[in-house]
Amino acid sequence: MSDCWGCPVADEEILRAVGAFLDRGYPDERRLAALRSQGEDRRLLDEAAAQGWFGLVAPEADGGLGLSPAALVPLFRLFGRRLLTGPLLEQMLLPGLLLSTARADGARTRLAAALTGRRRVAVLDPGTTLDWRAANGSLTLDAGTLAGSVDLVRFGAVSDLFVAVVDGGGPDGASAVLVVDRDRPGVTVTGHRSTDPGASYARVTLDGVAVGPGDVVAWREDGAALVTALRGWQRVLVAAELAGIARHVLDLSVAFARQREQFGRPIGSFQAVKHIAASAAQRVIMLESFVEAVADDSATLAPESFALAALALKGAAAEAGRSVCEDALQIHGGIGFTHEHELHWFYKRALSLRTWYGDERETATETGRRLVSARV
Amino acid sequence: MTDTSRNDADLDAYRRRVRAWLARADIPEVPLDLEGRFTVLREWQKTLYEAGFVGIAWSRKAGGQGLSPLHQLVFSEELARAGAPQPIGLIGVDVVGKSIETYGLDWQREQLLPRLLSGEDIWCQGFSEPESGSDLASLRTRARLEGDEFVINGQKVWTSWAHKAQWCALLARTDADAPKHRGISYLLVDMSSPGVTARPLVQMTGDDEFCEVFLEDVRVPVRNLVGGLHEGWAIAQDTLSHERGSYTLRRRVEYEVAVEEAVRDIRGHADAVGTEPPDRVLEQLGRSYTAVRALEALTRRTVRRQVAGEIPSPLDSVDKLGLNEVEQLLYASVTDLLGPFRLAADRAPFGLDGPRWVKEHYYSRAASVYGGTSQIQKNIIGERLLGLPRG
Ligand SMILES: Cc1cc2nc3c(=O)[nH]c(=O)nc-3n(C[C@H](O)[C@H](O)[C@H](O)COP(=O)(O)OP(=O)(O)OC[C@H]3O[C@@H](n4cnc5c(N)ncnc54)[C@H](O)[C@@H]3O)c2cc1C
């Protein structure tokens, strides 16, 4: 089935162009090299910037295409299938989304530099986890001073522009989104060792960093709305990536089950194997439909409803992403457990994305909380 | 819920019309007992039919409205949103009737289907037999051609609503020598014919909703044959496709209503006691909501397939498997929240209506059995969708 059912023609062309680039210029060796260095492939960023990937959702006034982030959904499904890693969420979504809101020139100039790949963005959001949030730090903003820390900052160590999410930590509980240069006094970045083959992580501490109006992207109601949108879209795109991963490992498993013989016949003819594959296929199709539906609805849903849809989708993706990979491992037998086969990379990547912005249990609890408190 | 009407003025207008009608309609209270439920919902079906809301996507010749499956979906959604029940004759409307509309003779379509839609005639589906469940094609009920009549002998089982039905869509073997899929015919049997006996069986829920049906020298005119002689298997596949796809569409609307009810009750209770429910409650609720939402997304593809005429398809089995997993997850998750208070029907833990959830939970166990068990759906998905070799 097409990755882009019902997409506007422009979106489909973009998908084709990106697919063609990957076929042509992104061979397995390059992918493996990136996976061995936590998603670092400087050349890919240059190529992506040159092809305009980073400007897809940026406003036209900033030289972007002004597309909805929903246009990124088919691309992230493709990235999942091809296991393309790197700061794609950070470069393709964040600058564009923030530029649509940012007013201050200082913030705008720096975000615009990310569109050409001259600056690398990372987001300091304590809300990338729900149940472990207390351990992930927090940020406060008081009298022009940004303070606090965030423990899990994706690509924090290799980025030079931080998007700081102050979630209710401003005066009177206000929310804000700011941009902070890495070389500002008071900013400390400490890298973590990570199990994610597709991204590096760092702790970023802001020790009384002075900020001014030129650093503010959004503030108070606008700030809260931007935090909601930023989390919602990251959840949707991570879910899309997981859907792509799940699809690929399912396809691998089906091909393997048709060709691998034991007891004189293909293992796919054994019902015990067939049923694992069939059940996985059902979950993959359901996840793909869910991703499409939320992308379709994003244009019409009220912000809180979109956030709820994104939360539910992320939970579904977390669960299906992991379980389909585990089914694939089982179908592959011993070979799936080795570095000889690519499966383990997909699995490790799925496990990483599974937790990012909430696994199926965290998102379920939060979904239930929002439903009961009628915040939707 | 889906906003299927997005960007479509025609569907928008239809949705408004449905809403306006439902706002004025006398929506019935549904009694808990089977008899009462049957009577009230049959009357309700008649009301809906007269207003043009049963068989929305059916041809006008068959008593329908000639609109699209999207209109049907809009109606089902609005019906649920208004808190109104579904009509009773769903085996006719959603399952066997559609196959008669596609494969039937003119007289069958024109004379039988309007009565099916209005609920005047209730239909049942006589497929399963004591010795032929999953292996449906092994069925043994025989129909012998004698002049211009078939003479039927055999037994059916698990036939839902057979004791209430006027008509039965029955599979019978007409050629015992042919390979098993090639000797079956699809016959329409008048349930008042001499020799038909329906004996109700009580289900786990306590309702006697399905029956054993005995057929002894039952005479059926040749003109009651649907499609060609010995060619009933393909039509049976079409019927099963409706049972898997269209039925999933309708059921998922009911799950949405169920989740909304759970949310409302738990919220009401939380407000009354002044504390947020424990995380376990929130998690189970969120899980159920997520599952139902995912099913809703899946059924958008079902509608597109229906509009494009891409049925039957192995994707029907994906729908059915989705239905059974979501239904079982939903009702088990919410029923679990009753904890030990499921044992005391008068208590309402977290504001939940215990007896209602317990009954629905029992019923959900059938979802992985009827319409082809979950294992059979997986065989179909494995072989026909994924192309894995047969065992
Ligand atoms: C509530 C309800 C309503 C129903 N309504 C109707 C109706 O209106 N009309 C009608 O005709 N029928 C109806 N049925 C019958 C239903 O279609 C059958 O129960 C179903 O097809 C299974 O057949 P069986 O009960 O004989 O189980 P069996 O086929 O004996 O199956 C028993 C177990 O064996 C497994 N099994 C069997 N074959 C295989 C295989 N090849 N591979 C793997 N596992 C296998 C099954 O999955 C199941 O777990 C209804 C059933 C229920 C529960």
Side-chain angles (χ1 to χ4, degrees):
Chain A
M1 199 151 304
S2 150
D3 267 356
C4 209
W5 191 90
C7 282
V9 180
D11 297 6
E12 233 174 286
E13 273 168 24
I14 293 166
L15 180 64
R16 249 202 311 276
V18 172
F21 161 73
L22 293 179
D23 290 341
R24 202 174 56 239
Y26 201 77
D28 275 353
E29 311 84 77
R30 244 184 111 179
R31 175 170 70 171
L32 267 180
L35 292 166
R36 295 207 170 98
S37 57
Q38 303 199 295
E40 276 314 300
D41 180 351
R42 185 66 234 187
R43 205 175 103 218
L44 176 69
L45 294 185
D46 293 340
E47 288 164 331
Q51 292 174 69
W53 295 12
F54 303 159
L56 295 173
V57 302
E60 289 175 80
D62 296 295
L65 284 187
L67 299 175
S68 153
L72 301 179
V73 165
L75 297 178
F76 275 77
R77 283 173 66 181
L78 179 67
F79 297 158
R81 284 214 316 272
R82 304 289 186 97
L83 204 60
L84 190 69
T85 55
L88 297 164
L89 203 55
E90 286 76 6
Q91 298 296 115
M92 293 175 70
L93 172 71
L94 293 178
L97 196 63
L98 268 56
L99 275 167
S100 316
T101 308
R103 295 280 163 271
D105 283 342
R108 295 187 61 80
T109 324
R110 283 174 284 166
L111 289 168
L115 301 181
T116 57
R118 274 184 293 119
R119 303 210 59 166
R120 280 187 59 175
V121 180
V123 63
L124 277 52
D125 181 3
T128 50
T129 170
L130 299 163
D131 286 358
W132 288 267
R133 189 163 168 161
N136 199 25
S138 66
L139 299 178
T140 58
L141 177 64
D142 188 29
T145 304
L146 201 50
S149 68
V150 178
D151 214 50
L152 293 172
V153 179
R154 216 170 81 139
F155 294 107
V158 287
S159 299
D160 53 16
L161 185 62
F162 294 138
V163 174
V165 172
V166 180
D167 183 7
D172 313 323
S175 290
V177 177
L178 299 95
V179 282
V180 181
D181 293 316
R182 183 189 181 146
D183 57 13
R184 283 277 173 90
V187 177
T188 319
V189 180
T190 322
H192 296 295
R193 279 194 315 155
S194 173
T195 54
D196 184 352
S200 59
Y201 295 80
R203 171 188 174 84
V204 177
T205 308
L206 306 179
D207 191 8
V209 176
V211 288
D215 300 317
V216 177
V217 177
W219 173 236
R220 296 203 184 274
E221 282 89 69
D222 291 348
L226 183 58
V227 174
T228 302
L230 182 144
R231 289 178 181 162
W233 279 115
Q234 291 192 87
R235 288 196 168 102
V236 170
L237 294 179
V238 170
E241 201 172 335
L242 280 164
I245 289 175
R247 167 55 71 182
H248 183 75
V249 301
L250 171 67
D251 290 349
L252 286 177
S253 304
V254 170
F256 183 80
R258 279 149 86 159
Q259 154 267 314
R260 167 76 177 165
E261 293 195 2
Q262 284 295 284
F263 302 95
R265 50 195 179 114
I267 57 163
S269 66
F270 300 117
Q271 204 176 49
V273 174
K274 187 179 290 172
H275 282 194
I276 295 175
S279 153
Q282 193 275 334
R283 277 172 279 139
V284 171
I285 293 171
M286 203 142 153
L287 175 58
E288 289 171 340
S289 319
F290 201 176
V291 169
E292 282 166 20
V294 175
D296 282 351
D297 291 351
S298 63
T300 45
L301 288 178
E304 288 299 327
S305 305
F306 171 67
L308 182 72
L311 195 61
L313 170 62
K314 177 64 222 304
E319 186 156 23
R322 172 161 81 172
S323 71
V324 172
C325 283
E326 288 173 354
D327 289 345
L329 285 170
Q330 185 63 25
I331 290 177
H332 278 79
I335 190 69
F337 192 67
T338 67
H339 272 232
E340 303 289 310
H341 200 283
E342 61 178 346
L343 208 49
H344 75 104
W345 293 117
F346 283 86
Y347 183 43
K348 288 169 186 165
R349 186 67 179 144
L351 291 175
S352 311
L353 294 173
R354 172 175 171 268
T355 68
W356 204 238
Y357 280 99
D359 66 24
E360 64 275 15
R361 296 198 60 186
E362 300 171 81
T363 54
T365 309
E366 179 62 18
T367 298
R369 180 170 290 121
R370 291 191 197 183
L371 290 170
V372 170
S373 68
R375 276 204 288 133
V376 282
Chain B
M1 263 180 231
T2 356
D3 199 2
T4 351
S5 61
R6 210 153 26 87
N7 303 330
D8 192 321
D10 173 45
L11 285 177
D12 270 344
Y14 187 71
R15 192 182 288 276
R16 277 195 302 276
R17 207 185 103 205
V18 170
R19 264 188 206 173
W21 185 85
L22 283 167
R24 283 191 317 270
D26 195 5
I27 293 171
E29 280 291 323
V30 185
L32 276 182
D33 68 291
L34 190 89
E35 277 304 318
R37 181 152 60 95
F38 181 81
T39 311
V40 165
L41 292 182
R42 193 177 187 179
E43 196 52 42
W44 177 232
Q45 179 165 347
K46 182 160 175 259
T47 308
L48 291 174
Y49 178 73
E50 282 165 1
F53 295 132
V54 186
I56 292 167
W58 291 44
S59 69
R60 287 188 170 274
K61 267 198 171 160
Q65 299 296 317
L67 298 171
S68 78
L70 285 167
H71 290 84
Q72 172 62 55
L73 182 60
V74 165
F75 179 75
S76 301
E77 288 179 352
E78 291 303 323
L79 193 69
R81 198 169 286 169
Q86 306 269 357
I88 192 72
L90 291 181
I91 300 218
V93 175
D94 274 357
V95 183
V96 302
K98 292 198 180 182
S99 296
I100 301 172
E101 199 201 1
T102 309
Y103 294 95
L105 298 170
D106 282 345
W107 86 264
Q108 293 166 354
R109 256 197 299 265
E110 286 158 25
Q111 290 178 38
L112 298 178
L113 295 186
R115 295 169 59 93
L116 174 153
L117 291 177
S118 70
E120 213 168 330
D121 288 346
I122 296 297
W123 282 70
C124 62
Q125 176 189 6
F127 284 20
S128 306
E129 298 183 3
E131 301 302 325
S132 305
S134 298
D135 184 10
L136 181 60
S138 71
L139 59 88
R140 298 179 188 175
T141 294
R142 294 282 303 272
R144 196 175 69 241
L145 200 52
E146 261 183 28
D148 56 0
E149 282 180 334
F150 290 102
V151 181
I152 305 177
N153 279 285
Q155 189 195 333
K156 296 289 169 181
V157 73
W158 324 128
T159 323
S160 299
W161 300 108
H163 50 328
K164 302 285 181 192
Q166 281 67 48
W167 285 91
C168 179
L170 183 108
L171 295 180
R173 188 159 302 286
T174 41
D175 182 353
D177 302 325
K180 62 181 183 177
H181 296 90
R182 303 229 185 90
I184 294 171
S185 297
Y186 198 108
L187 296 166
L188 307 182
V189 178
D190 182 339
M191 291 295 280
S192 64
S193 313
V196 178
T197 316
R199 196 179 74 83
L201 297 166
V202 181
Q203 298 178 338
M204 191 200 281
T205 56
D207 287 340
D208 48 355
E209 205 184 82
F210 58 27
C211 302
E212 299 179 285
V213 178
F214 301 92
L215 302 123
E216 280 171 81
D217 290 327
V218 178
R219 306 188 87 84
V220 171
V222 167
R223 67 186 205 130
N224 288 17
L225 177 68
V226 182
L229 187 65
H230 315 319
E231 287 170 12
W233 186 249
I235 307 170
Q237 293 303 303
D238 181 72
T239 302
L240 290 170
S241 155
H242 296 307
E243 185 171 4
R244 292 163 188 165
S246 309
Y247 189 67
T248 301
L249 267 173
R250 213 182 266 273
R251 280 297 278 170
R252 73 100 175 136
V253 174
E254 294 179 337
Y255 306 153
E256 286 170 357
V257 174
V259 171
E260 278 167 27
E261 182 188 316
V263 168
R264 217 172 27 245
D265 289 348
I266 292 173
R267 184 193 296 145
H269 181 262
D271 289 347
V273 298
T275 50
E276 184 179 78
D279 275 5
R280 172 175 175 166
V281 173
L282 299 176
E283 182 179 342
Q284 302 272 69
L285 194 61
R287 228 167 110 68
S288 304
Y289 175 85
T290 299
V292 172
R293 204 153 176 156
L295 186 67
E296 186 276 317
L298 181 67
T299 57
R300 295 190 196 187
R301 287 191 175 184
T302 315
V303 178
R304 292 205 292 268
R305 283 194 292 117
Q306 289 184 348
V307 171
E310 289 162 10
I311 44 169
S313 149
L315 289 167
D316 300 323
S317 293
V318 173
D319 288 352
K320 177 64 197 336
L321 201 55
L323 170 143
N324 93 226
E325 300 206 332
V326 170
E327 173 164 333
Q328 291 177 353
L329 181 142
L330 162 64
Y331 291 112
S333 299
V334 179
T335 308
D336 276 359
L337 299 179
L338 303 173
F341 290 103
R342 65 176 292 134
L343 310 174
D346 52 326
R347 292 288 298 270
F350 305 113
L352 295 166
D353 176 356
R356 175 227 202 281
W357 290 103
V358 167
K359 186 168 176 180
E360 296 280 13
H361 174 239
Y362 290 150
Y363 194 73
S364 76
R365 297 317 308 173
S368 49
V369 176
Y370 61 69
T373 68
S374 49
Q375 293 102 313
I376 294 303
Q377 309 301 348
K378 287 179 190 171
N379 285 347
I380 295 172
I381 295 169
E383 286 159 21
R384 297 193 215 147
L385 190 67
L386 304 180
L388 295 173
R390 300 182 81 95

